[in-house]
Amino acid sequence: MGCTVVVGGFWGDEGKGKIISYLAVKDKIDVSVRAGSVNAAHTIYHDGKRFALHMVPSTFVYDKCRLLIGAGANIHVPQLLKEIRETNVEGRIGVDKQASIIESIHSTTDKSDSHSKKIGTTGWGVGPAIQERAKRTAKLASDILDLKQFLTDAAKETNSAIDVGKTVLLEGTQGLMLSLFHGSYPYVTSRDTSAAAVCSEVGVGPSNVDTVLVVYKAFITRVGAGDLPGELSKEDAIRRGWFETAAGTGRDRRSAPFNFELARRVAKINGATEVAVTKLDILYPDSKEATHYDALPKEAKNFIEQVEKATGAPVTLIGTGPGALDIVDRRSSL
Ligand code: IMP
Ligand code: MG
């Protein structure tokens, strides 16, 4: 199965956590690396518990998986240590020594800045932390005593795993429409969120990637400011069952119907080789908890076919409910 990069298709919150935790167990991922920073929350249900992880990779559910945080990532030390305790992964997590550190001053700056308010940032301070990294005044993981036992060369570990044919997964955060380069600037996050950028943050060359899996939700949601084509009123969103609140900040998520033109562009920029569609059951209740493609209603299959046409990639994984195993996995039949 080689090396897979998983990224979000729209404005984040597509359900990457669920898809990645499924792959971790199903494909027995040996090594995984998380990119990005603490602003993203990936939701995972495991052992009857709900986790909203900002730092620890979503693959933690597979207990033989080596968990890494890449050199391009930005680490919130107290949050990371808290999550390490909650997930009980102290013995198998590593942090790249060159990952940068986000400090409480960055959050204070973010929360008091009028431009950040206009953008509607999460308030974690990721923008100010990245500014400091670009100024070359940021602290690195190697400067932090509490991280000493976790320090590693994540790029070296990951490339060695790829070289010996191990199964590797690179975990992207947010979605392409929040990319600093390709998203809805200035209403974006402070880094590129494309598959290529995830590889860059980890230190894996493009020729070593086998699968680029782009995760789309069956409808679109967005938190924070900025244009959202086809945006519904909150009442309409509630009526359709599309209304959500953010896993990280608790804010209302705005929503809109799936956008095929956007999906096409996003697939192209990421170089999608496979696509996942989550929450199909919200659009088509008759697909709830289906685990076989044939069990999906006709309209749901039509929708999936339209997604494949737009993205030019096969829809290999389909989320049909909140449970970890509410998934149609078509990988062996396509
Ligand atoms: P920042 O990344 O906190 O600076 O926020 C910039 C924009 O990205 C805001 O619109 C946030 O709502 C959005 N954003 C950042 N992280 C996430 C995420 O994990 N999911 C959804 N939106 C996010
Ligand atoms: Mg999220």
Side-chain angles (χ1 to χ4, degrees):
M1 268 158 247
C3 178
T4 299
V5 186
V6 182
V7 288
F10 291 127
W11 279 272
D13 307 314
E14 301 91 356
K16 291 178 291 297
K18 178 196 165 105
I19 295 292
I20 292 168
S21 60
Y22 171 81
L23 292 175
V25 176
K26 187 78 186 173
D27 296 359
K28 300 187 166 54
I29 305 285
D30 297 303
V31 176
S32 78
V33 197
R34 182 159 168 163
S37 188
V38 66
N39 44 1
H42 289 179
T43 306
I44 297 114
Y45 290 90
H46 177 62
D47 275 349
K49 273 205 291 201
R50 177 182 180 276
F51 296 84
L53 298 179
H54 294 258
M55 290 262 94
V56 166
S58 303
T59 47
F60 88 92
V61 298
Y62 176 55
D63 63 10
K64 293 190 183 65
C65 185
R66 169 73 167 156
L67 311 170
L68 297 169
I69 298 184
N74 183 235
I75 294 179
H76 190 287
V77 179
Q79 183 68 26
L80 174 64
L81 297 175
K82 178 171 159 257
E83 291 183 7
I84 288 175
R85 280 193 302 275
E86 281 168 6
T87 54
N88 199 17
V89 295
E90 190 171 350
R92 60 188 174 103
I93 191 164
V95 169
D96 194 283
K97 53 192 184 317
Q98 291 236 101
S100 63
I101 301 296
I102 177 167
E103 299 178 84
S104 53
I105 179 75
H106 299 133
S107 170
T108 309
T109 309
D110 198 10
K111 283 180 182 152
S112 61
D113 179 59
S114 61
H115 187 64
S116 294
K117 282 202 185 86
K118 188 185 123 194
I119 304 285
T121 68
T122 61
W124 280 95
V126 178
I130 300 295
Q131 279 181 36
E132 232 179 286
R133 190 167 198 176
K135 272 200 300 189
R136 282 139 296 166
T137 51
K139 284 191 185 136
L140 298 183
S142 54
D143 298 321
I144 308 295
L145 193 62
D146 284 347
L147 295 182
K148 201 160 180 222
Q149 68 179 116
F150 305 115
L151 295 182
T152 188
D153 181 337
K156 189 173 171 191
E157 277 200 51
T158 310
N159 285 306
S160 303
I162 292 172
D163 286 347
V164 298
K166 288 189 174 171
T167 307
V168 172
L169 185 145
L170 312 185
E171 176 169 358
T173 56
Q174 290 104 12
L176 192 84
M177 293 313 295
L178 286 171
S179 162
L180 181 62
F181 302 157
H182 305 290
S184 47
Y185 191 93
Y187 301 100
V188 294
T189 191
S190 45
R191 49 186 277 278
D192 182 17
T193 53
S194 68
V198 174
C199 294
S200 158
E201 281 193 27
V202 174
V204 166
S207 58
N208 282 321
V209 172
D210 301 283
T211 304
V212 175
L213 174 66
V214 179
V215 182
Y216 299 93
K217 191 156 61 182
F219 52 97
I220 299 181
T221 58
R222 169 168 208 183
V223 284
D227 189 34
L228 179 57
E231 181 167 4
L232 305 181
S233 67
K234 184 169 170 179
E235 296 68 46
D236 199 4
I238 292 171
R239 197 175 49 74
R240 295 190 196 201
W242 296 6
F243 180 71
E244 301 177 348
T245 51
T249 57
R251 293 184 289 176
D252 285 4
R253 287 182 184 156
R254 302 152 60 199
S255 61
F258 194 93
N259 185 320
F260 291 94
E261 266 320 298
L262 257 190
R264 182 192 308 278
R265 176 172 170 267
V266 165
K268 184 54 84 182
I269 290 175
N270 280 305
T273 64
E274 288 183 28
V275 162
V277 173
T278 59
K279 296 206 172 183
L280 190 69
D281 55 303
I282 305 289
L283 237 51
Y284 304 101
D286 285 349
S287 64
K288 194 161 178 72
E289 291 168 14
T291 51
H292 290 96
Y293 192 68
D294 290 341
L296 298 179
K298 192 161 169 285
E299 316 78 73
K301 285 185 191 158
N302 281 344
F303 175 74
I304 295 295
E305 280 168 27
Q306 273 181 273
V307 174
E308 292 187 326
K309 223 171 133 199
T311 59
V315 173
T316 52
L317 298 162
I318 303 169
T320 56
L325 296 175
D326 295 335
I327 282 196
V328 177
D329 185 346
R330 302 166 79 204
R331 291 177 299 164
S332 54
S333 61
L334 286 174

